Amino acid sequence: MTEDNLYLASTQCKTWSFGPSTLATIRQNTNAAGIRSIKRGWKRARIEASSANTPAVTPIPSSASTPIPGAAPTPSIDPTAIPDPESLTPAEELTLVHYYILRLIDMSDVFSFPSNVKSTACVFLSRFHLHHSVQSYHPKHLIPTILFLATKTENHYIPLSEFCKRVPKLTPEAVLKHEFTVAGGVRWDFDVRHPLRAAEGGIMELLTALAVTANGSSDTGLQALKERLAPNPTRRVQDAHGRMKGFLTKEALVSDVYYHYTPPQVFLGALWLADKDVAEAYIEWRFGENSTMGRVTKKRKRDKRGKDGLVAKDKNGEKEEDTPSEAAKGPPLAPKLLSVIQSCAGMMTDARAFEKTPVEELKRIDKKLHRCQNPQKFLGAGIAIGAGSSDGGPKKPPEDAGARKQVEEGIVVGKADERKRKVEDDLFGGSLPVKV
Amino acid sequence: MSSSASSSATRPSNAAAAAPPTRRTLPFGNGHTPVPASVVEIDDGGGGLSKDNSDDSDIDDPDDINTKTKRKYTKGTAPCYHRRFSSLIKNRKLGEGAYAVVNLGHRRATATDSAVPVAIKKIKVNTEFRDGLSMDAIREVKYLRELHHPNIIALLDVFSSKNQNLCLVLEFLDSDLEMIIKDSSLTLSMADVKSWMLMSLRGLWWCHKAFVLHRDIKPNNLLLSSTGVLKLADFGLARSFADPYRPMTSNVITRWYRPPELFYGAKFYSSAVDIFSLGLVFCELMLRTPFLPGNSDLHQFELICQALGTPTEENWPGVSSLPGYYVPHVDNAAAMVKERGKDFFMNTFIAAGESGVDLLMKMIRLDPRKRCTAREALDVPWFSQEPYPTKPANLPKKGGGKGIEKVGSDLKRKAGELFNSTDDASGRGKKVARKLDFGGGG
Ligand SMILES: Nc1ncnc2c1ncn2[C@@H]1O[C@H](COP(=O)(O)OP(=O)(O)OP(=O)(O)O)[C@@H](O)[C@H]1O
Ligand SMILES: [Mg+2]
């Protein structure tokens, strides 16, 4: 069994890899499930509201008298006259998820967590919302829990009390409250395969090979690579390396590339974005017409570098295996690989748009979501239905409503973006200065 | 503050304030699913689930998935298994470890499948660790979700119980190697030992291939199925070693099976730690008693030095720069033991034969770099020589329940006699190069 097969046996490949159309269908279904739960919540709230409104002499102290700022129920509301709220579209859900992935990145950077913790946290959030609508679980309540869980699954545990100290108003209870929800929501698949390991291996290989050519080499493939990256190939690779890491720890996490491509493919996609020439020269050298080195020593390299087998997935989500050994027999892998890499890179470039989502747009979506999740505010019922409350699916019992206060503002602002974020923070529950 | 979903949280929070002060105050997850008692009691027949609205049940909801998973299983044994588990009907406990209690349960029969016995490993709530899911539980789930191999225990499901205990549903396994070793009514032949070693090494090979260190190899973590198949279990200490630059804790592995580099506080160790532990299990299978049963860490280390030799720069280059390097009786040159040679091991483990002793020595070398890998161990001639490894179904079973009667001169040998055997087990048998199937498809 080869390393490729090892990847094929991973949960990432078996349960978290899809073709683009499958992914869209899943999101559609999840969105529909979210809408159903909102509808149920409103239905129930209507019943509550009408029964609460009938004997409206003395409000029931426990819940009906709840003072709700800005939306205090007036006895004159007729719950049946208010239409169901407009629900979120799959695209709007995705916009929110991406926004919160960016927030998760900021939050992780506050702690200076290593990139595997950061990346795993982002993948957890994305996977969670693949199957759970933001209409049922608002991501803002989940991100502290997700980040804390990721520190544990990546073997980078820090005591929860310390973790909470760094995030204003965050309490241990608020973090733990959602831990099972999140762990179950990602199907207990804690092992996430990141492209960073393949990337470090690949760059190391390139730099080593360049050091060899510096002393003269007969490898024509290498020679070609060196010429393409002239005058200072080593420098060029090093520069690309730095930029590539940036793509791997941001664009790769915000986009859907983890669902569609294998870790080595994502690595090459990021390298291509960082420096087209470096990536293409590398691919040509390892998998091209003259890849003498790739062919002769491929066995050894595959063992050493592990996951450099390339598993391409076609549009239907079918997997097609292209191992270098096959490439050695048949036509070179490079052209096909390059097109896979380019589409992967394209997906990451597109992800940049999410960072530029206008604040107004986020505000608009959140407002819609707010209405969906808080029928009681708009109907005058005393029951929080709330998905709004963090976690809450509309089935949430009322006693949970207060507890959510603790978590709702657990959002950290990256220092650099602090000013920019401040504006946005207002729409998600107030801004939080970072304690350092 | 502009309006947001959060403003509803300003509702009076009496209910939350009154919540019990346990670390997780709500039923599984966020508590928005009022869990009916019949579901909480996984003992229950599962009927009586009353929901006000049937379309409340939403696959979108992790809590519902948990409920569904939980309802697939129940404690105790299914009626059809009452005979087999007669001793367990009252007390369902299968075992208890440092961090978990393991109970017998079964998967309920469905329209298509009959009931299947399972082991439900309930992670203890540790009052020391108040930070949610414990690291042991996380590690065990993380690695068992990924590792699928006939010689590695299968994790069937994960759910949380009513008290927010994490429960792992594992395939049910009858016994463990420790029980077999201690059962003096059993006779273990070298073919049996070979079979258990072969299966352990296959499981370990798969772990190491996936860059996972087990870090707690010992007889009671090597479980045996009713068909005699050995499976690595208890991944509570496992970790990935794919990143060679991350230091690791040296405080792992039960003392009697701990390799010397960990006593020296090595922070960068390798799969060789598991190989060493398994090497000591190999010894124990032959001796029927632990080979190096130290009663303290210091004593343990002295036993290692006596039995295997004193680590020096000569037999283990670089050892003196390990953080905790020391040599017992350093002042007494006579007490220094040279790394033991083949004669020594042939004396003690003659029954294994020459090629068996060769394998053993490769597994318990002092210098971890000189130890063999699981893969190399699987390739040694010993496994393809007579006596051939016993077929799992024919291996001795707990309580004397021997699979099928075996034939052969080693059948009558009693426990403890084994390593004195003069039997023809010394590797002179025909060298039949048999292709070994390591499982896992490769
Ligand atoms: N799948 C199973 N089937 C039957 N019995 C089992 C199973 N898993 C565990 N046991 C029994 O329960 C005991 C404890 O299980 P396990 O070793 O997994 O728990 P632990 O708390 O990790 O123990 P340790 O103290 O070794 O760390 C085992 O020694 C075994 O006897
Ligand atoms: Mg154990």
Side-chain angles (χ1 to χ4, degrees), chain B residues 103-246:
Chain B
N103 283 305
L104 176 67
H106 69 271
R107 189 168 67 205
R108 296 171 199 278
T110 64
T112 48
D113 299 303
S114 50
V116 185
V118 296
I120 299 179
K121 181 168 178 173
K122 189 167 169 181
I123 309 298
K124 291 179 191 170
V125 175
N126 182 346
T127 43
E128 309 274 280
F129 189 81
R130 319 193 88 251
D131 292 1
L133 290 168
S134 74
M135 289 301 289
D136 308 77
I138 292 211
R139 284 191 283 253
E140 182 141 35
V141 171
K142 176 175 174 180
Y143 295 115
L144 285 183
R145 290 283 295 158
E146 302 294 322
L147 296 168
H148 304 284
H149 187 275
N151 299 117
I152 297 175
I153 193 167
L155 174 64
L156 305 172
D157 263 312
V158 182
F159 65 83
S160 69
S161 73
K162 59 177 166 184
N163 300 324
Q164 296 282 289
N165 279 324
L166 184 65
C167 293
L168 313 187
V169 183
L170 299 160
E171 64 177 313
F172 171 78
L173 297 168
D174 276 331
S175 57
D176 61 54
L177 217 47
E178 186 181 1
M179 295 178 193
I180 300 286
I181 291 169
K182 284 189 173 157
D183 186 339
S184 54
S185 72
L186 295 179
T187 303
L188 313 183
S189 74
M190 192 46 64
D192 300 335
V193 171
K194 205 179 269 194
S195 177
W196 285 314
M197 286 304 292
L198 185 61
M199 291 188 280
S200 311
L201 281 166
R202 283 175 182 168
L204 209 48
W205 164 72
W206 191 250
C207 291
H208 292 172
K209 204 169 143 49
F211 296 100
V212 175
L213 299 180
H214 184 283
R215 302 200 300 184
D216 200 14
I217 296 289
K218 57 180 175 181
N220 84 6
N221 284 340
L222 301 173
L223 305 190
L224 301 166
S225 80
S226 59
T227 53
V229 178
L230 179 149
K231 307 198 179 222
L232 267 55
D234 194 352
F235 281 69
L237 281 173
R239 68 156 286 167
S240 165
F241 63 102
D243 184 352
Y245 305 108
R246 280 280 302 281

Side-chain angles (χ1 to χ4, degrees), chain A residues 1-3 6 9-12 14-15 30 33-34 36-37 40 43-44 61-63 66-69 116 128 131-133 136-138 140-141 148-149 151-161 173 176-185 187-193 197 204 303 306 363 366-367 369-370 373-374 376-377 382-384 388-405 408-409 426-430, chain B residues 1-17 19 21-34 51-66 69 128-135 137-148 155 157-161 163-168 205-212 215 238-249 375 439-442:
Chain A
M1 209 180 209
T2 66
E3 299 290 349
L6 213 52
S10 68
T11 52
Q12 175 152 331
K14 281 194 306 198
T15 49
T30 298
R36 283 198 301 277
S37 81
R40 281 196 303 272
K43 190 168 145 199
R44 194 157 336 136
S62 66
S63 53
T66 305
I68 295 163
N116 57 324
F128 182 89
H131 292 297
H132 311 290
S133 168
S136 308
Y137 297 86
H138 199 306
K140 76 178 163 191
H141 303 302
F148 183 63
L149 183 63
T151 65
K152 292 198 275 183
T153 64
E154 290 298 318
N155 205 17
H156 197 85
Y157 162 75
I158 65 167
L160 182 54
S161 54
E173 294 71 36
L176 296 183
K177 194 174 130 194
H178 306 290
E179 198 174 39
F180 274 97
T181 306
V182 169
R187 307 289 194 259
W188 303 98
D189 290 336
F190 293 154
D191 194 33
V192 182
R193 310 289 167 104
R197 187 169 301 138
M204 179 94 83
D303 289 345
K363 217 172 223 169
D366 197 54
K367 211 163 172 183
L369 184 56
H370 178 59
Q373 296 184 328
N374 296 279
Q376 82 290 350
K377 279 174 80 173
I383 305 294
S389 51
S390 57
D391 17 67
K395 287 164 278 172
K396 169 182 292 303
E399 67 266 24
D400 193 21
R404 79 180 76 116
K405 176 82 182 148
E408 68 195 355
E409 291 175 322
D426 286 333
L427 44 132
F428 296 116
Chain B
M1 172 175 149
S2 70
S3 106
S4 82
S6 61
S7 58
S8 62
T10 54
R11 296 175 67 253
S13 51
N14 304 347
T22 46
R23 57 195 181 98
R24 283 188 224 95
T25 56
L26 294 159
F28 178 64
N30 47 55
H32 69 240
T33 312
K51 284 207 169 188
D52 54 341
N53 187 347
S54 62
D55 91 328
D56 252 0
S57 142
D58 209 327
I59 195 70
D60 179 52
D61 183 343
D63 287 5
D64 259 16
I65 292 173
N66 188 61
T69 309
E128 309 274 280
F129 189 81
R130 319 193 88 251
D131 292 1
L133 290 168
S134 74
M135 289 301 289
I138 292 211
R139 284 191 283 253
E140 182 141 35
V141 171
K142 176 175 174 180
Y143 295 115
L144 285 183
R145 290 283 295 158
E146 302 294 322
L147 296 168
H148 304 284
L155 174 64
D157 263 312
V158 182
F159 65 83
S160 69
S161 73
N163 300 324
Q164 296 282 289
N165 279 324
L166 184 65
C167 293
L168 313 187
W205 164 72
W206 191 250
C207 291
H208 292 172
K209 204 169 143 49
F211 296 100
V212 175
R215 302 200 300 184
R239 68 156 286 167
S240 165
F241 63 102
D243 184 352
Y245 305 108
R246 280 280 302 281
M248 301 184 269
T249 173
R375 179 61 220 229

Side-chain angles (χ1 to χ4, degrees), chain A residues 229-252:
Chain A
L229 303 181
N232 189 346
T234 301
R235 186 63 203 270
R236 191 96 187 253
V237 172
Q238 284 164 341
D239 288 349
H241 183 201
R243 282 198 302 278
M244 173 195 76
K245 269 203 202 142
F247 289 112
L248 289 180
T249 49
K250 191 161 203 173
E251 279 80 354

Side-chain angles (χ1 to χ4, degrees), chain A residues 197-211 237 241 244 267 282 285 304-305, chain B residues 244-245:
Chain A
R197 187 169 301 138
E200 294 306 327
I203 295 293
M204 179 94 83
E205 181 188 34
L206 254 177
L207 291 174
T208 313
L210 285 171
V237 172
H241 183 201
M244 173 195 76
F267 144 56
Y282 176 79
W285 167 51
K304 179 167 59 90
R305 259 192 55 206
Chain B
Y245 305 108

